[in-house]
Amino acid sequence: MLADLDIRTADMPDEMRLLLAEYPRESWDGHPGFHEKTRNWLGAHQGFRRLSELVRSDTEAYLDKSMGAEEFALRLSRFGNLLVGNLHGHHTWEDRSYFPELSAADPRFDQGLEILEKDHETLDQVLHGFAGTANRAIKLTQLDEAQAREEAGKLLPAAQMIETLLDRHLGDEEELAVPIILHHRLRG
């Protein structure tokens, strides 16, 4: 499953980072155009980073037997569902609303937005596979502990992939979108 995915390995093109030089990350919070909507959007990204790390670390804890099957199943059900459901909703909103707003404000960066939309497609595929494997692992914790651990062993690479993809994607997305927002005083 993971080997078949078209995963972006190239950095965001330099021309998509033009405004970042004028609006570096460390200056965002103090900029007068940095409003609550943007702060909330960045907060959602931090939440996704934490959830993906939690799901991965819980899976590792279950595999190394420092977490029991019942606790693992409860946590995976809760946090895995939050991660998958909220990421799908967030990406749908970005693709349908947020990215078109950014494109209308500054079409010079459409190539970067297209790259981010392709990232969303890749993440959706990884999340789909992750959800199926996670659901099997949860069910197996009640039926067969050995099979549950085997399924968790299949889940770990997907959890690691989600964490890796999110790290790259969210950073690129933030460094493309926030400078556009600040430059054009959007989302106020």
Side-chain angles (χ1 to χ4, degrees):
M1 174 195 91
L2 297 178
D4 298 335
L5 293 174
D6 182 22
I7 297 171
R8 175 169 66 98
T9 56
D11 290 335
M12 186 66 73
D14 287 341
E15 61 271 17
M16 296 298 107
R17 301 173 62 80
L18 293 174
L19 287 178
L20 184 60
E22 190 174 337
Y23 303 96
R25 186 180 282 267
E26 58 274 4
S27 71
W28 295 349
D29 199 41
H31 191 281
F34 190 73
H35 298 290
E36 187 172 345
K37 288 180 184 178
T38 303
R39 190 172 278 105
N40 290 340
W41 178 71
L42 292 171
H45 284 189
Q46 282 305 105
F48 297 138
R49 288 177 174 105
R50 283 192 298 272
L51 281 170
S52 67
E53 179 184 0
L54 186 65
V55 167
R56 188 236 342 121
S57 65
D58 281 358
T59 304
E60 289 172 343
Y62 178 62
L63 288 170
D64 72 18
K65 299 184 180 178
S66 60
M67 181 183 290
E70 186 175 335
E71 182 180 6
F72 172 67
L74 287 171
R75 290 175 62 86
L76 179 57
S77 177
R78 179 177 180 201
F79 299 123
N81 185 52
L82 282 171
L83 179 64
V84 172
N86 287 333
L87 268 173
H88 280 310
H90 184 78
H91 289 160
T92 298
W93 171 77
E94 285 177 339
D95 291 342
R96 292 184 184 166
S97 178
Y98 205 52
F99 291 174
E101 177 185 357
L102 296 174
S103 175
D106 204 327
R108 294 179 296 171
F109 299 101
D110 284 353
Q111 178 190 3
L113 296 172
E114 288 171 16
I115 290 169
L116 296 173
E117 286 178 5
K118 286 185 179 164
D119 285 354
H120 288 175
E121 292 170 12
T122 300
L123 275 163
D124 283 348
Q125 291 175 42
V126 174
L127 291 170
H128 178 76
F130 169 84
T133 305
N135 287 332
R136 284 189 298 279
I138 291 166
K139 288 177 188 172
L140 285 168
T141 61
Q142 297 175 354
L143 302 172
D144 185 326
E145 180 77 18
Q147 285 186 5
R149 286 196 194 283
E150 185 177 316
E151 201 66 24
K154 296 174 188 174
L155 183 66
L156 184 59
Q160 292 167 327
M161 177 66 70
I162 292 167
E163 191 172 21
T164 299
L165 290 172
L166 283 178
D167 182 56
R168 173 183 205 109
H169 169 75
L170 295 175
D172 284 348
E173 189 172 76
E174 292 162 0
E175 291 181 351
L176 179 67
V178 174
I180 296 170
I181 291 166
L182 298 178
H183 187 75
H184 295 285
R185 302 288 177 120
L186 302 176
R187 313 232 27 102

